[in-house]
Coordinates of all heavy atoms in Angstrom, one line a residue:
R1 N 0.9 -1.1 0.0 CA 0.0 0.0 0.0 C 0.9 1.3 0.0 O 0.7 2.1 -0.8 CB -0.9 0.0 1.2 CG -1.9 1.2 1.3 CD -2.5 1.4 2.6 NE -1.4 1.7 3.6 CZ -1.4 1.5 4.9 NH1 -2.6 0.8 5.5 NH2 -0.5 1.8 5.7
D2 N 1.9 1.3 0.9 CA 2.8 2.4 1.0 C 3.6 2.6 -0.3 O 3.8 3.7 -0.8 CB 3.8 2.3 2.1 CG 3.0 2.4 3.5 OD1 1.9 2.9 3.5 OD2 3.6 2.0 4.5
W3 N 4.0 1.5 -0.9 CA 4.8 1.6 -2.2 C 3.9 2.2 -3.3 O 4.3 3.0 -4.1 CB 5.3 0.2 -2.6 CG 6.0 0.2 -3.9 CD1 7.4 0.4 -4.1 CD2 5.5 0.1 -5.2 NE1 7.7 0.3 -5.3 CE2 6.6 0.2 -6.1 CE3 4.2 -0.2 -5.7 CZ2 6.4 0.0 -7.5 CZ3 4.0 -0.3 -7.1 CH2 5.1 -0.2 -8.0
K4 N 2.7 1.7 -3.4 CA 1.7 2.2 -4.4 C 1.5 3.7 -4.1 O 1.4 4.5 -5.2 CB 0.4 1.4 -4.3 CG -0.6 1.8 -5.4 CD -1.8 0.9 -5.3 CE -2.8 1.3 -6.5 NZ -4.0 0.5 -6.4
R5 N 1.2 4.1 -3.0 CA 1.1 5.5 -2.6 C 2.2 6.5 -3.1 O 2.0 7.5 -3.6 CB 0.8 5.7 -1.2 CG -0.6 5.4 -0.8 CD -0.8 5.5 0.7 NE -2.2 5.3 1.2 CZ -2.6 5.4 2.5 NH1 -1.7 5.7 3.4 NH2 -3.8 5.2 2.8
Q6 N 3.4 5.9 -2.9 CA 4.6 6.7 -3.2 C 4.9 6.7 -4.7 O 5.5 7.6 -5.2 CB 5.8 6.1 -2.5 CG 5.8 6.3 -1.0 CD 7.0 5.8 -0.3 OE1 8.1 6.1 -0.6 NE2 6.8 4.9 0.6
N7 N 4.5 5.7 -5.5 CA 4.9 5.5 -6.9 C 3.8 5.9 -7.8 O 4.1 6.2 -9.0 CB 5.4 4.1 -7.1 CG 6.8 3.8 -6.5 OD1 7.7 4.3 -7.0 ND2 6.7 3.2 -5.3
Q8 N 2.5 5.9 -7.5 CA 1.5 6.3 -8.4 C 1.6 7.8 -8.6 O 2.0 8.6 -7.8 CB 0.1 5.8 -7.9 CG -0.4 6.7 -6.7 CD -1.6 6.2 -6.2 OE1 -2.1 5.1 -6.5 NE2 -2.4 7.0 -5.4
K9 N 1.2 8.2 -9.9 CA 1.2 9.6 -10.2 C 0.0 10.3 -9.6 O -1.2 9.9 -9.9 CB 1.3 9.7 -11.7 CG 2.6 9.3 -12.3 CD 2.6 9.6 -13.8 CE 3.9 9.1 -14.4 NZ 4.0 9.1 -15.8
Q10 N 0.3 11.2 -8.8 CA -0.9 12.0 -8.2 C -1.5 12.9 -9.3 O -0.7 13.7 -9.9 CB -0.4 12.7 -7.0 CG -1.4 13.4 -6.2 CD -2.3 12.5 -5.5 OE1 -2.0 11.3 -5.2 NE2 -3.6 12.9 -5.2
Q11 N -2.8 12.9 -9.4 CA -3.4 13.8 -10.4 C -3.6 15.2 -9.8 O -3.8 15.4 -8.7 CB -4.7 13.3 -10.9 CG -4.5 11.9 -11.5 CD -3.7 11.9 -12.8 OE1 -3.9 12.6 -13.7 NE2 -2.7 11.0 -12.7
S12 N -3.5 16.2 -10.6 CA -3.7 17.6 -10.2 C -5.1 17.9 -9.9 O -6.0 17.1 -10.4 CB -3.3 18.6 -11.3 OG -4.0 18.4 -12.5
K13 N -5.4 18.9 -9.1 CA -6.8 19.2 -8.9 C -7.3 20.1 -10.1 O -6.7 21.0 -10.5 CB -6.8 20.1 -7.6 CG -6.5 19.3 -6.3 CD -7.5 18.2 -6.0 CE -8.8 18.8 -5.5 NZ -9.8 17.7 -5.3
P14 N -8.6 19.8 -10.6 CA -9.1 20.5 -11.7 C -9.1 22.0 -11.6 O -8.7 22.7 -12.6 CB -10.5 19.9 -11.8 CG -10.5 18.6 -11.2 CD -9.5 18.7 -10.0
E15 N -9.4 22.5 -10.4 CA -9.4 24.0 -10.3 C -8.0 24.6 -10.4 O -7.8 25.7 -10.9 CB -10.0 24.3 -8.9 CG -9.5 23.7 -7.7 CD -10.2 22.5 -7.3 OE1 -10.4 21.6 -8.1 OE2 -10.5 22.3 -6.1
L16 N -7.0 23.8 -10.0 CA -5.6 24.4 -10.1 C -5.3 24.4 -11.6 O -4.6 25.2 -12.2 CB -4.6 23.5 -9.3 CG -4.2 24.0 -7.9 CD1 -3.4 25.3 -8.0 CD2 -5.4 24.1 -7.0
S17 N -5.5 23.2 -12.3 CA -5.3 23.1 -13.7 C -5.9 24.2 -14.5 O -5.3 24.9 -15.5 CB -5.8 21.7 -14.3 OG -5.1 20.7 -13.7
A18 N -7.1 24.5 -14.1 CA -8.0 25.6 -14.9 C -7.3 26.9 -14.7 O -7.2 27.7 -15.6 CB -9.4 25.6 -14.4
K19 N -6.8 27.3 -13.5 CA -6.2 28.5 -13.2 C -4.9 28.7 -13.9 O -4.6 29.7 -14.5 CB -6.0 28.7 -11.7 CG -7.2 29.1 -11.0 CD -7.0 29.5 -9.5 CE -8.2 30.2 -8.9 NZ -8.4 31.5 -9.5
L20 N -4.0 27.6 -13.9 CA -2.7 27.7 -14.6 C -2.9 27.7 -16.1 O -2.3 28.4 -16.9 CB -1.9 26.5 -14.2 CG -1.4 26.5 -12.8 CD1 -0.7 25.2 -12.4 CD2 -0.4 27.6 -12.5
G21 N -4.0 27.1 -16.5 CA -4.3 27.1 -18.0 C -4.8 28.4 -18.5 O -4.4 28.9 -19.6
K22 N -5.6 29.2 -17.7 CA -6.0 30.6 -17.9 C -4.8 31.5 -18.1 O -4.7 32.4 -18.9 CB -6.9 31.0 -16.9 CG -8.4 30.5 -17.1 CD -9.3 31.1 -16.1 CE -10.7 30.4 -16.2 NZ -11.6 31.0 -15.1
L23 N -3.8 31.4 -17.1 CA -2.6 32.1 -17.1 C -1.8 31.9 -18.3 O -1.2 32.7 -19.0 CB -1.8 31.8 -15.9 CG -2.4 32.4 -14.6 CD1 -1.4 32.0 -13.4 CD2 -2.4 33.9 -14.6
Q24 N -1.6 30.6 -18.8 CA -0.8 30.2 -20.0 C -1.6 30.8 -21.1 O -0.8 31.4 -22.0 CB -0.8 28.7 -20.1 CG -0.1 28.3 -21.4 CD -0.2 26.8 -21.6 OE1 -0.3 26.0 -20.7 NE2 0.0 26.4 -22.9
K25 N -2.8 30.8 -21.3 CA -3.6 31.3 -22.4 C -3.3 32.8 -22.5 O -3.2 33.3 -23.7 CB -5.1 30.9 -22.3 CG -5.9 31.4 -23.5 CD -7.3 30.9 -23.3 CE -8.2 31.4 -24.6 NZ -9.6 30.9 -24.4
K26 N -3.4 33.4 -21.3 CA -3.2 34.9 -21.4 C -1.9 35.3 -21.8 O -1.6 36.2 -22.6 CB -3.5 35.5 -19.9 CG -3.5 36.9 -19.8 CD -3.9 37.4 -18.4 CE -3.8 38.9 -18.3 NZ -4.2 39.3 -16.9
A27 N -0.9 34.6 -21.3 CA 0.6 34.9 -21.6 C 0.9 34.6 -23.1 O 1.5 35.5 -23.8 CB 1.5 34.1 -20.7
D28 N 0.5 33.4 -23.6 CA 0.7 33.1 -25.0 C 0.0 34.0 -25.9 O 0.5 34.4 -27.0 CB 0.4 31.7 -25.2 CG 1.4 30.7 -24.7 OD1 2.5 31.2 -24.4 OD2 1.0 29.5 -24.5
G29 N -1.2 34.4 -25.5 CA -1.9 35.5 -26.3 C -1.3 36.8 -26.4 O -1.2 37.5 -27.4
L30 N -0.7 37.2 -25.2 CA 0.0 38.5 -25.1 C 1.2 38.5 -26.1 O 1.5 39.5 -26.7 CB 0.5 38.8 -23.7 CG -0.5 39.4 -22.8 CD1 0.1 39.4 -21.4 CD2 -0.8 40.8 -23.2
S31 N 1.9 37.4 -26.2 CA 3.1 37.3 -27.0 C 2.7 37.5 -28.5 O 3.2 38.2 -29.3 CB 3.7 35.9 -27.0 OG 4.7 35.7 -27.8
Y32 N 1.6 36.9 -28.9 CA 1.1 37.0 -30.3 C 0.6 38.4 -30.6 O 1.0 38.9 -31.6 CB -0.1 36.0 -30.5 CG -0.7 36.1 -31.9 CD1 0.0 35.6 -33.0 CD2 -2.0 36.6 -32.0 CE1 -0.6 35.8 -34.3 CE2 -2.6 36.7 -33.3 CZ -1.8 36.3 -34.4 OH -2.4 36.4 -35.7
R33 N -0.1 39.0 -29.6 CA -0.6 40.4 -29.9 C 0.6 41.4 -30.0 O 0.6 42.3 -30.7 CB -1.6 40.7 -28.8 CG -2.9 40.1 -28.9 CD -4.0 40.8 -28.1 NE -3.7 40.6 -26.6 CZ -4.1 39.5 -25.9 NH1 -4.6 38.5 -26.6 NH2 -3.8 39.5 -24.6
L34 N 1.6 41.1 -29.2 CA 2.8 42.0 -29.2 C 3.5 41.9 -30.5 O 3.9 42.9 -31.2 CB 3.8 41.6 -28.1 CG 5.1 42.4 -28.1 CD1 5.0 43.8 -28.0 CD2 6.0 41.8 -27.0
M35 N 3.6 40.7 -31.1 CA 4.2 40.6 -32.5 C 3.3 41.2 -33.6 O 3.8 41.7 -34.5 CB 4.3 39.0 -32.7 CG 5.7 38.4 -32.1 SD 7.1 39.3 -32.5 CE 7.0 39.6 -34.3
M36 N 2.0 41.0 -33.4 CA 1.1 41.6 -34.4 C 1.2 43.1 -34.4 O 1.2 43.8 -35.5 CB -0.3 41.1 -34.3 CG -0.5 39.7 -34.5 SD 0.1 39.0 -36.1 CE -1.0 39.9 -37.2
E37 N 1.3 43.7 -33.2 CA 1.6 45.1 -33.1 C 2.9 45.6 -33.7 O 2.9 46.6 -34.4 CB 1.5 45.6 -31.6 CG 1.5 47.0 -31.4 CD 1.5 47.4 -29.9 OE1 1.2 46.6 -29.1 OE2 1.7 48.7 -29.7
Y38 N 3.9 44.8 -33.5 CA 5.2 45.1 -34.1 C 5.1 45.1 -35.6 O 5.8 45.8 -36.4 CB 6.3 44.1 -33.6 CG 7.6 44.4 -34.1 CD1 8.4 45.4 -33.5 CD2 8.3 43.6 -35.2 CE1 9.6 45.7 -34.0 CE2 9.5 43.9 -35.6 CZ 10.2 44.9 -35.0 OH 11.5 45.2 -35.6
L39 N 4.4 44.0 -36.1 CA 4.3 43.9 -37.6 C 3.5 45.1 -38.2 O 3.8 45.6 -39.3 CB 3.5 42.6 -37.9 CG 4.3 41.3 -38.0 CD1 3.4 40.2 -37.9 CD2 5.2 41.3 -39.3
R40 N 2.5 45.7 -37.4 CA 1.8 46.8 -37.9 C 2.6 48.1 -37.8 O 2.5 49.0 -38.7 CB 0.4 46.9 -37.1 CG -0.6 45.9 -37.5 CD -1.9 46.3 -36.9 NE -2.0 46.3 -35.5 CZ -2.2 45.2 -34.7 NH1 -2.5 44.1 -35.2 NH2 -2.1 45.3 -33.4
D41 N 3.3 48.2 -36.6 CA 4.0 49.5 -36.4 C 5.3 49.2 -35.5 O 5.2 49.4 -34.3 CB 3.0 50.4 -35.7 CG 3.5 51.9 -35.5 OD1 4.7 52.1 -35.9 OD2 2.8 52.8 -35.2
P42 N 6.3 48.8 -36.1 CA 7.4 48.5 -35.3 C 8.0 49.6 -34.5 O 8.5 49.4 -33.4 CB 8.5 48.0 -36.4 CG 7.9 48.5 -37.7 CD 6.5 48.6 -37.6
D43 N 7.9 50.9 -35.1 CA 8.5 52.0 -34.4 C 7.8 52.2 -33.1 O 8.5 52.7 -32.1 CB 8.3 53.3 -35.3 CG 9.3 53.2 -36.5 OD1 10.3 52.4 -36.5 OD2 9.0 53.9 -37.5

């Protein structure tokens, strides 16, 4: 029982995954928007 507890992969909590996923989406979106702004007006 103890071996199984130590070696099985613990799954993340859905609410944590959702929060980190939203942060990732926001950051990756900011990167793309910054590039599109640079393409339109680099100066």
Side-chain angles (χ1 to χ4, degrees):
R1 184 196 65 204
D2 290 343
W3 180 88
K4 185 178 179 182
R5 282 179 173 177
Q6 291 181 52
N7 288 279
Q8 69 184 18
K9 289 180 180 176
Q10 185 69 20
Q11 300 302 306
S12 63
K13 295 293 289 176
E15 51 269 49
L16 264 295
S17 296
K19 280 187 169 294
L20 291 172
K22 284 180 181 178
L23 290 176
Q24 176 185 336
K25 184 176 181 180
K26 184 176 180 180
D28 286 341
L30 278 172
S31 175
Y32 176 72
R33 288 196 293 276
L34 176 58
M35 277 311 310
M36 295 309 294
E37 186 178 350
Y38 183 78
L39 279 162
R40 287 191 299 269
D41 192 349
D43 292 339

